[in-house]
Amino acid sequence: MAQAPVAQAPAENPYDTAVAQFNAVAERIGVDEGLREVLRHCKREFTVNFPVQMDDGSIRVFTGYRVHHNEARGPVKGGLRYAPYVSIDEVRALAMWMTWKCAVAGLPYGGAKGGVVVDPRALSIRELERLTRRFTAEIVMLIGPDEDVPAPDMGTDAQIMAWIMDTYSMMHGHSTPAVVTGKPVPIGGSSGRYEATGRGVMFITQEACRESGRTLEGATVAVQGFGNVGSVAAKLLAENGAKIVAISDARGGIYNERGVGDIGAMMERAPARGFLPDVPGSTRITNEELLEMPVDILIPAAIEGQIHAGNADRVRAKMVIEAANGPTTLEGDRIMEGNGVYVVPDIVANSGGVIVSYFEWVQDLQSFFWEEDEVNQRLERIIKKSFREVASLRNGGGMTLRESAYTLAVQRVVEATRVRGIFP
Ligand code: NAD
């Protein structure tokens, strides 16, 4: 079971950040005002308050959201988050970021996101199953292989995707694996999906090093977060020659200038996904200290809003690879840009997850499954191509990588919206 963060809500409203990022790009590339208005809104926002019977017989009401930002390029796609601080604005921002992320990777999807306000660690497994099945029933009219395809995010995992797939299938009278991605392999999941986001982070780090004339071999790396994304990224980066000197979970982190040790073994000894095991010989550090370590590469892989006006000036990493969604606030970004930090934005850096989710959906629709090698090779091809497109647009236009990624994404979505026309 994925661990929901024990941390509080991000300090800055993520939707304000997402809209401001979009407005800046729309202004730069001259999107007309009507289309701007379309794209800065989420097309469909659904809030549901639903009851769940707890193990002791009591009834509790939970709040859940599913938001579709834009579907000009295809069915919408996006994760489902279980966390105590989930809010409609957070879900809106994440849905908008999914639109850009799918567009920049060239996937035939629009953006969506969902969330339930719950600490999943506080529920028993049966309560979690009943909550998931009831929430699925409440949003069943929104989801489907041609409409909206959820996936795991913080606090959710393959088991939760299996319950969603089963509930949807029961309600439709036939098995529908393509309704969610990130499922277990025996029911239509894709080989390589669990590692996909972290593997994509590794491929992007390789490309970013190549593009900026650095070398990954021997580079020192600090990773914030030891969940799906952070742990896999750290393990694969270490296998490719980097030295992981600091890593953390929601409670804090560890540091060792010689390297924190064998990440694969730490993943096996982790008390639960998302939590570090005891690592003798390392120094305990706080998450704040981790973000300010003098490393070559910093990888925030936890939650939003971690690099902000209050600490961005103290970021000493030469390169930041945004593995989490929205880890940098607008002001944090401006400060790092001024300090010459090379930042690869989230919509590029963590797109490996949605790219392999796309492969899973394609495999489910065709009932024809690929070997893991094939999945990894196709992922490498698509994510590196996407990085190169973003980097080459940046080099031609004097932009940051974030600006060029948004420019490419917004141009693609604007083009799809324009060519489809406004119905009726
Ligand atoms: P996860 O639940 O598996 O792990 C989250 C990790 O962050 C855990 O180690 C947790 O202890 C830690 N954490 C939580 N709050 C923290 C805090 N305040 N400070 C430091 N660490 C904290 O989640 P995940 O799936 O690895 O997702 C991590 C990030 O990556 C999220 O932003 C998510 O939206 C993004 N992302 C995930 C995927 C995916 O495929 N899982 C894909 C794209 C983006």
Short mmCIF file of all heavy atoms in Angstrom, two decimals, residues 2-3 5 7 81 101 152-155 193 197 224-230 248-250 273-274 287 301-303 306 323-325 350 353, ligand 1:
data_model
loop_
_atom_site.label_atom_id
_atom_site.label_comp_id
_atom_site.label_asym_id
_atom_site.label_seq_id
_atom_site.Cartn_x
_atom_site.Cartn_y
_atom_site.Cartn_z
N ALA A 2 0.62 2.13 -0.92
CA ALA A 2 1.37 3.38 -0.96
C ALA A 2 1.06 4.19 0.30
O ALA A 2 -0.05 4.15 0.81
CB ALA A 2 0.98 4.19 -2.18
N GLN A 3 2.07 4.89 0.78
CA GLN A 3 1.87 5.69 1.98
C GLN A 3 1.42 7.09 1.61
O GLN A 3 2.03 7.74 0.79
CB GLN A 3 3.19 5.79 2.75
CG GLN A 3 3.68 4.46 3.25
CD GLN A 3 2.70 3.83 4.21
OE1 GLN A 3 2.21 4.49 5.12
NE2 GLN A 3 2.38 2.58 3.99
N PRO A 5 1.19 10.98 2.40
CA PRO A 5 2.11 11.82 3.13
C PRO A 5 1.60 12.15 4.52
O PRO A 5 0.40 12.32 4.72
CB PRO A 5 2.20 13.08 2.27
CG PRO A 5 0.99 13.04 1.41
CD PRO A 5 0.64 11.61 1.22
N ALA A 7 2.70 14.81 5.74
CA ALA A 7 2.92 16.25 5.72
C ALA A 7 1.62 17.00 5.49
O ALA A 7 0.60 16.44 5.13
CB ALA A 7 3.90 16.59 4.61
N ARG A 81 -5.61 10.38 -6.32
CA ARG A 81 -4.78 10.59 -5.12
C ARG A 81 -5.64 10.40 -3.87
O ARG A 81 -6.75 10.93 -3.80
CB ARG A 81 -4.24 12.02 -5.20
CG ARG A 81 -3.46 12.49 -4.03
CD ARG A 81 -2.80 13.83 -4.32
NE ARG A 81 -1.70 13.73 -5.27
CZ ARG A 81 -0.80 14.68 -5.47
NH1 ARG A 81 -0.88 15.82 -4.80
NH2 ARG A 81 0.18 14.51 -6.35
N LYS A 101 1.24 17.63 -19.91
CA LYS A 101 2.18 16.50 -19.89
C LYS A 101 1.89 15.54 -21.05
O LYS A 101 2.80 15.08 -21.74
CB LYS A 101 2.05 15.76 -18.55
CG LYS A 101 3.17 14.77 -18.30
CD LYS A 101 2.93 13.97 -17.03
CE LYS A 101 2.88 14.87 -15.80
NZ LYS A 101 2.72 14.08 -14.57
N PRO A 152 -2.75 5.22 -10.78
CA PRO A 152 -2.33 5.48 -9.39
C PRO A 152 -1.63 6.83 -9.23
O PRO A 152 -1.02 7.33 -10.18
CB PRO A 152 -1.33 4.35 -9.08
CG PRO A 152 -1.43 3.38 -10.20
CD PRO A 152 -1.99 4.11 -11.38
N ASP A 153 -1.71 7.38 -8.06
CA ASP A 153 -0.94 8.57 -7.70
C ASP A 153 -0.63 8.40 -6.21
O ASP A 153 -0.71 7.28 -5.69
CB ASP A 153 -1.73 9.85 -8.00
CG ASP A 153 -0.87 11.09 -7.91
OD1 ASP A 153 -0.05 11.32 -8.82
OD2 ASP A 153 -0.98 11.85 -6.92
N MET A 154 -0.33 9.49 -5.51
CA MET A 154 0.03 9.35 -4.10
C MET A 154 -1.11 8.70 -3.33
O MET A 154 -2.27 9.08 -3.46
CB MET A 154 0.33 10.72 -3.51
CG MET A 154 1.62 11.26 -4.07
SD MET A 154 2.54 12.23 -2.89
CE MET A 154 1.35 13.34 -2.31
N GLY A 155 -0.75 7.72 -2.51
CA GLY A 155 -1.73 7.07 -1.66
C GLY A 155 -2.57 6.00 -2.34
O GLY A 155 -3.42 5.39 -1.69
N ARG A 193 5.28 -1.00 -15.71
CA ARG A 193 4.53 0.19 -15.33
C ARG A 193 4.95 0.70 -13.95
O ARG A 193 5.06 1.89 -13.75
CB ARG A 193 3.01 -0.07 -15.36
CG ARG A 193 2.16 1.09 -14.81
CD ARG A 193 2.34 2.37 -15.61
NE ARG A 193 1.63 3.53 -15.07
CZ ARG A 193 2.11 4.37 -14.15
NH1 ARG A 193 3.32 4.19 -13.63
NH2 ARG A 193 1.40 5.41 -13.77
N THR A 197 7.75 5.62 -14.05
CA THR A 197 7.99 7.05 -13.78
C THR A 197 9.45 7.25 -13.35
O THR A 197 10.14 8.14 -13.85
CB THR A 197 7.02 7.58 -12.72
OG1 THR A 197 5.69 7.23 -13.11
CG2 THR A 197 7.11 9.09 -12.59
N GLN A 224 14.35 13.62 -2.85
CA GLN A 224 13.33 13.81 -1.81
C GLN A 224 12.15 12.89 -2.10
O GLN A 224 11.50 13.00 -3.14
CB GLN A 224 12.82 15.26 -1.80
CG GLN A 224 11.85 15.49 -0.63
CD GLN A 224 11.07 16.78 -0.75
OE1 GLN A 224 10.70 17.18 -1.85
NE2 GLN A 224 10.82 17.43 0.36
N GLY A 225 11.86 11.96 -1.19
CA GLY A 225 10.76 11.02 -1.38
C GLY A 225 11.30 9.63 -1.66
O GLY A 225 12.23 9.45 -2.45
N PHE A 226 10.73 8.63 -0.98
CA PHE A 226 11.16 7.25 -1.17
C PHE A 226 9.95 6.39 -1.53
O PHE A 226 9.82 5.25 -1.15
CB PHE A 226 11.84 6.73 0.12
CG PHE A 226 12.60 5.45 -0.08
CD1 PHE A 226 13.72 5.41 -0.90
CD2 PHE A 226 12.20 4.27 0.54
CE1 PHE A 226 14.43 4.22 -1.09
CE2 PHE A 226 12.90 3.08 0.36
CZ PHE A 226 14.01 3.06 -0.46
N GLY A 227 9.02 6.99 -2.30
CA GLY A 227 7.84 6.23 -2.74
C GLY A 227 8.13 5.58 -4.08
O GLY A 227 9.28 5.31 -4.42
N ASN A 228 7.08 5.34 -4.83
CA ASN A 228 7.23 4.71 -6.15
C ASN A 228 8.28 5.44 -6.97
O ASN A 228 9.25 4.86 -7.43
CB ASN A 228 5.84 4.72 -6.84
CG ASN A 228 5.89 4.27 -8.28
OD1 ASN A 228 6.77 4.67 -9.04
ND2 ASN A 228 4.95 3.44 -8.68
N VAL A 229 8.09 6.75 -7.13
CA VAL A 229 8.93 7.50 -8.07
C VAL A 229 10.36 7.68 -7.53
O VAL A 229 11.34 7.36 -8.22
CB VAL A 229 8.29 8.87 -8.37
CG1 VAL A 229 9.14 9.65 -9.35
CG2 VAL A 229 6.88 8.70 -8.90
N GLY A 230 10.47 8.17 -6.29
CA GLY A 230 11.79 8.48 -5.74
C GLY A 230 12.67 7.25 -5.59
O GLY A 230 13.86 7.27 -5.94
N SER A 248 15.07 10.81 1.29
CA SER A 248 14.19 11.10 2.44
C SER A 248 12.82 10.47 2.26
O SER A 248 12.45 10.03 1.17
CB SER A 248 14.01 12.62 2.60
OG SER A 248 13.29 13.13 1.50
N ASP A 249 12.07 10.45 3.36
CA ASP A 249 10.63 10.19 3.29
C ASP A 249 9.93 11.34 4.00
O ASP A 249 10.58 12.35 4.31
CB ASP A 249 10.28 8.80 3.85
CG ASP A 249 10.62 8.66 5.34
OD1 ASP A 249 10.70 9.69 6.04
OD2 ASP A 249 10.80 7.52 5.79
N ALA A 250 8.63 11.18 4.27
CA ALA A 250 7.88 12.31 4.85
C ALA A 250 8.40 12.69 6.23
O ALA A 250 8.16 13.80 6.70
CB ALA A 250 6.40 11.96 4.92
N ARG A 273 5.83 0.95 1.56
CA ARG A 273 6.24 1.81 0.47
C ARG A 273 6.18 3.25 0.92
O ARG A 273 5.23 3.67 1.57
CB ARG A 273 5.33 1.61 -0.75
CG ARG A 273 5.79 2.43 -1.94
CD ARG A 273 4.95 2.21 -3.16
NE ARG A 273 4.39 3.47 -3.62
CZ ARG A 273 3.45 3.56 -4.54
NH1 ARG A 273 2.94 2.48 -5.07
NH2 ARG A 273 3.02 4.74 -4.92
N GLY A 274 7.22 3.98 0.57
CA GLY A 274 7.23 5.39 0.92
C GLY A 274 8.04 5.69 2.17
O GLY A 274 8.29 6.84 2.47
N ASN A 287 14.07 17.25 5.65
CA ASN A 287 13.76 17.45 4.24
C ASN A 287 14.24 18.81 3.75
O ASN A 287 14.66 18.96 2.60
CB ASN A 287 12.26 17.27 4.00
CG ASN A 287 11.93 15.84 3.62
OD1 ASN A 287 12.38 15.35 2.58
ND2 ASN A 287 11.17 15.16 4.46
N ALA A 301 10.86 14.31 -5.39
CA ALA A 301 9.97 13.24 -5.86
C ALA A 301 8.91 12.96 -4.80
O ALA A 301 8.56 11.81 -4.56
CB ALA A 301 10.79 11.98 -6.16
N ALA A 302 8.40 14.03 -4.15
CA ALA A 302 7.41 13.82 -3.08
C ALA A 302 6.12 14.58 -3.39
O ALA A 302 5.23 14.04 -4.05
CB ALA A 302 8.00 14.22 -1.74
N ILE A 303 6.03 15.82 -2.93
CA ILE A 303 4.77 16.56 -3.09
C ILE A 303 5.02 17.94 -3.69
O ILE A 303 6.16 18.32 -3.95
CB ILE A 303 4.01 16.70 -1.74
CG1 ILE A 303 4.85 17.45 -0.72
CG2 ILE A 303 3.62 15.34 -1.21
CD1 ILE A 303 4.06 17.89 0.49
N GLN A 306 7.60 22.35 -2.79
CA GLN A 306 8.75 22.13 -1.91
C GLN A 306 9.86 23.16 -2.09
O GLN A 306 10.58 23.49 -1.17
CB GLN A 306 9.31 20.72 -2.13
CG GLN A 306 8.35 19.64 -1.73
CD GLN A 306 8.00 19.74 -0.25
OE1 GLN A 306 8.84 19.49 0.60
NE2 GLN A 306 6.78 20.14 0.05
N ALA A 323 10.73 15.34 -10.41
CA ALA A 323 10.05 14.05 -10.51
C ALA A 323 8.63 14.12 -9.94
O ALA A 323 7.73 13.43 -10.41
CB ALA A 323 10.85 12.98 -9.79
N ALA A 324 8.41 14.95 -8.92
CA ALA A 324 7.06 15.15 -8.37
C ALA A 324 6.29 16.08 -9.30
O ALA A 324 6.88 16.75 -10.16
CB ALA A 324 7.15 15.76 -6.98
N ASN A 325 4.99 16.15 -9.10
CA ASN A 325 4.19 17.15 -9.81
C ASN A 325 4.22 18.45 -9.02
O ASN A 325 3.94 18.45 -7.82
CB ASN A 325 2.74 16.66 -9.94
CG ASN A 325 2.59 15.61 -11.02
OD1 ASN A 325 3.09 15.77 -12.14
ND2 ASN A 325 1.93 14.51 -10.70
N ASN A 350 8.58 13.74 -15.30
CA ASN A 350 7.89 12.57 -14.73
C ASN A 350 6.88 11.96 -15.70
O ASN A 350 5.99 11.20 -15.29
CB ASN A 350 7.26 12.91 -13.37
CG ASN A 350 6.10 13.89 -13.48
OD1 ASN A 350 5.39 13.93 -14.47
ND2 ASN A 350 5.91 14.67 -12.44
N GLY A 353 5.55 7.82 -16.41
CA GLY A 353 4.40 7.10 -15.87
C GLY A 353 3.24 7.11 -16.86
O GLY A 353 2.66 6.07 -17.18
P1 NAD B 1 4.18 7.67 -3.06
O1 NAD B 1 2.97 7.83 -2.22
O2 NAD B 1 4.59 6.32 -3.51
O3 NAD B 1 5.47 8.30 -2.32
C1 NAD B 1 5.52 9.63 -1.87
C2 NAD B 1 6.82 9.80 -1.08
O4 NAD B 1 6.94 11.15 -0.65
C3 NAD B 1 6.90 8.95 0.17
O5 NAD B 1 8.24 8.53 0.37
C4 NAD B 1 6.50 9.92 1.27
O6 NAD B 1 6.99 9.52 2.55
C5 NAD B 1 7.18 11.18 0.75
N1 NAD B 1 6.65 12.43 1.27
C6 NAD B 1 5.37 12.78 1.47
N2 NAD B 1 5.29 14.01 1.98
C7 NAD B 1 6.56 14.47 2.07
C8 NAD B 1 7.16 15.67 2.51
N3 NAD B 1 6.43 16.68 2.96
N4 NAD B 1 8.49 15.78 2.46
C9 NAD B 1 9.24 14.77 2.00
N5 NAD B 1 8.75 13.60 1.58
C10 NAD B 1 7.42 13.46 1.62
O7 NAD B 1 3.98 8.68 -4.30
P2 NAD B 1 4.62 8.59 -5.75
O8 NAD B 1 3.71 7.80 -6.62
O9 NAD B 1 6.06 8.23 -5.64
O10 NAD B 1 4.48 10.11 -6.22
C11 NAD B 1 5.44 11.11 -5.84
C12 NAD B 1 5.23 12.33 -6.70
O11 NAD B 1 5.40 11.96 -8.08
C13 NAD B 1 3.85 12.97 -6.63
O12 NAD B 1 4.00 14.36 -6.83
C14 NAD B 1 3.10 12.37 -7.80
O13 NAD B 1 2.04 13.17 -8.23
C15 NAD B 1 4.24 12.34 -8.81
N6 NAD B 1 4.05 11.39 -9.91
C16 NAD B 1 3.83 10.07 -9.66
C17 NAD B 1 3.69 9.20 -10.73
C18 NAD B 1 3.51 7.71 -10.52
O14 NAD B 1 3.51 6.97 -11.53
N7 NAD B 1 3.42 7.23 -9.32
C19 NAD B 1 3.73 9.68 -12.05
C20 NAD B 1 3.98 11.05 -12.26
C21 NAD B 1 4.14 11.89 -11.18
#
